[in-house]
């Protein structure tokens, strides 16, 4: 069967016909509140304007990284940005949007939390809640407008769209599901900017990771199909990584793991075609202090060995001819600094 949504529906019907021996949580009992009743930690005023750099930053590896990005885009090679949701929460959406609009990146990959914060900013101009506060009363994540994402993804999956494309289309059009009040702050949306620029924005979901999965309208089959479509879009872009750049920014698990599997797939096909995907640049932007030689794996008795951006992005995947850089610093310092260097070069 070619329709993944129909396949998911049939699977659900089969599961209902042969129910598990174990009881399940009844989501219809949940109390869902409007976002107007939530205290927000991030608002539009917290977003940096392009050119605004509150934390001046210099790093010896930033100039060669900027050179690699410029060369890759000049030659039509992939420049992939893997980013965690914290990049949005730190107010850097407008910088990522400018990277997209200037054509400096060819794909941006996010986790499920990234689409939550992006949509909430576009929807109400604020995002992020105190987990410590709301988990005490069992209200963490259970907000009415946020769950609109589930309806957007389900509708998009039925049309064969990935999560990122479905979300970007809806936000760019300024309208969520039927009956919503619109998306007045869509100029702050990474997904809308990517959709308008025809740059893939992919969402890589782990079921149970995101507050969206708490809601009664969450369709696991539709989300799985849409997120897997995004993975295949991502893997297709990785096929063009020879001579390109991959930047892992604030994502310690999703980014490295999705990239690792996609690279294996791309190298498998390239090898059969007599090609290589070995000579490219990788970079990690993060806060963790790493010791020793960052171009060799840390020993297994060191906690650093288990930090995926280190062994996956900086070492293993560039071991056959690539170059890697570790840029340690606050995202509000490092991302504006990279943007400044790219602006000077382009």
């Amino acid at each position: 069967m070619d329709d993944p949504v129909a396949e998911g529906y049939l699977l659900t019907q089969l599961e209902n016909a042969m129910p598990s021996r174990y009881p399940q949580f009844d989501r219809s009992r949940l109390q869902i509140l409007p976002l107007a009743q939530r205290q927000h930690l991030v608002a539009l005023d917290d977003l940096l304007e392009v050119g605004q750099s509150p934390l001046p930053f210099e790093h010896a590896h930033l100039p060669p990284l900027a050179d690699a990005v410029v060369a890759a885009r000049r030659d039509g090679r992939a420049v992939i940005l893997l980013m965690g949701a914290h990049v949005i929460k730190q107010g850097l959406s407008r910088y990522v949007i400018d990277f997209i609009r200037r054509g400096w990146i060819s794909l941006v990959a996010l986790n499920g939390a990234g689409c939550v914060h992006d949509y909430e900013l576009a929807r109400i101009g604020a995002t992020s809640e105190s987990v410590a506060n709301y988990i005490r009363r069992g209200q963490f994540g259970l907000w009415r407008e946020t769950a609109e994402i589930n309806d957007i993804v389900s509708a998009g999956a039925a049309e064969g769209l990935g999560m990122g494309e479905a979300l970007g289309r809806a936000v760019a059009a300024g309208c969520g599901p039927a009956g919503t009040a619109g998306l007045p702050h869509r100029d702050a949306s990474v997904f809308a900017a990517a959709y308008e620029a025809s740059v893939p924005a992919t969402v890589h979901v782990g079921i149970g990771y995101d507050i969206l999965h708490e809601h009664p309208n969450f369709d696991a089959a539709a989300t799985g199909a849409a997120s897997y479509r995004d993975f295949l879009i991502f893997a297709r872009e990785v096929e063009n990584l020879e001579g390109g750049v991959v930047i892992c920014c604030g994502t310690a698990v999703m980014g490295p793991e999705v990239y690792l599997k996609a690279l294996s797939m791309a190298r498998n096909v390239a090898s059969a075609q007599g090609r290589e995907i070995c000579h490219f640049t990788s970079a990690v932007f993060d806060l963790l202090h790493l010791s020793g030689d960052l171009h060799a794996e840390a020993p297994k008795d060191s906690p650093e060995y288990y930090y995926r951006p280190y062994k996956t992005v900086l070492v293993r995947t560039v071991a056959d001819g690539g170059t890697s850089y570790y840029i340690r610093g606050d995202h509000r310092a490092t991302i504006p600094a990279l943007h400044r260097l790219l602006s000077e070069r382009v």
Side-chain angles (χ1 to χ4, degrees):
M1 185 177 293
D2 294 331
D3 186 345
V5 176
E7 288 179 6
Y9 175 76
L10 291 175
L11 180 60
T12 301
Q13 294 298 97
L14 182 61
E15 289 172 344
N16 290 338
M18 297 183 295
S20 167
R21 71 182 72 179
Y22 305 114
Q24 298 183 51
F25 186 92
D26 179 5
R27 296 177 295 176
S28 68
R29 300 175 300 162
L30 292 168
Q31 303 298 308
I32 314 295
L33 298 180
L35 282 171
Q37 295 186 28
R38 188 178 80 183
Q39 293 181 326
H40 310 288
L41 303 179
V42 179
L44 289 175
D45 289 344
D46 297 311
L47 269 61
L48 296 180
E49 297 294 336
V50 174
Q52 184 181 359
S53 181
L55 302 170
F57 184 81
E58 301 287 342
H59 195 288
H61 291 165
L62 274 177
L65 175 61
D67 291 338
V69 171
V70 171
R73 297 311 292 145
R74 179 196 63 213
D75 297 337
R77 302 300 183 179
V79 175
I80 296 171
L81 175 62
L82 310 165
M83 56 178 269
H86 203 61
V87 175
I88 295 175
K89 290 174 65 175
Q90 283 198 288
L92 290 154
S93 293
R94 298 196 193 283
Y95 270 101
V96 177
I97 289 169
D98 205 55
F99 281 120
I100 292 169
R101 288 177 174 165
R102 289 178 181 246
W104 292 343
I105 59 176
S106 59
L107 183 146
V108 55
L110 303 95
N111 56 13
C115 69
V116 168
H117 295 304
D118 188 89
Y119 186 80
E120 287 182 352
L121 281 171
R123 182 73 162 82
I124 66 164
T127 190
S128 192
E129 61 188 302
S130 170
V131 179
N133 180 25
Y134 287 109
I135 193 60
R136 290 173 179 167
R137 64 187 82 170
Q139 196 59 51
F140 168 62
L142 295 168
W143 309 103
R144 189 172 301 151
E145 295 88 342
T146 308
E148 293 166 4
I149 297 172
N150 287 333
D151 294 331
I152 292 170
V153 171
S154 295
E159 298 178 51
L161 302 183
M163 279 189 70
E165 187 174 5
L167 190 61
R169 181 181 67 175
V171 179
C175 58
T180 63
L183 296 144
H185 310 293
R186 55 188 177 273
D187 63 299
S189 169
V190 171
F191 285 95
Y195 182 81
E196 291 170 342
S198 297
V199 171
T202 56
V203 183
H204 305 276
V205 170
I207 301 297
Y209 280 15
D210 304 316
I211 62 173
L212 297 170
H213 309 162
E214 302 175 42
H215 288 261
N217 71 335
F218 174 65
D219 184 335
T223 297
S227 187
Y228 189 65
R229 187 177 298 276
D230 275 357
F231 173 67
L232 296 180
I233 292 169
F234 179 90
R236 178 62 184 86
E237 186 65 18
V238 172
E239 286 194 85
N240 192 34
L241 191 56
E242 176 73 8
V245 179
V246 58
I247 300 173
C248 180
C249 190
T251 169
V253 178
M254 178 282 293
E257 290 303 303
V258 170
Y259 156 65
L260 181 66
K261 280 71 172 184
L263 181 61
S264 183
M265 294 163 66
R267 281 178 169 170
N268 181 288
V269 172
S271 177
Q273 297 173 342
R275 298 186 297 110
E276 288 185 326
I277 307 176
C278 299
H279 308 93
F280 58 87
T281 300
S282 69
V284 173
F285 286 54
D286 217 331
L287 290 169
L288 191 67
H289 175 74
L290 301 178
S291 59
D293 180 5
L294 299 187
H295 300 101
E297 286 191 27
K300 289 187 177 181
D301 60 356
S302 166
E304 294 175 350
Y305 174 82
Y306 301 96
Y307 177 57
R308 290 171 175 84
Y310 182 176
K311 66 180 177 182
T312 298
V313 182
L314 297 181
V315 181
R316 290 180 176 176
T317 57
V318 292
D320 298 308
T323 303
S324 65
Y325 303 110
Y326 184 57
I327 314 296
R328 180 172 178 263
D330 190 301
H331 296 324
R332 288 169 67 90
T334 58
I335 291 178
L338 177 61
H339 184 279
R340 174 178 54 81
L341 290 173
L342 288 172
S343 297
E344 292 172 355
R345 283 155 173 75
V346 179

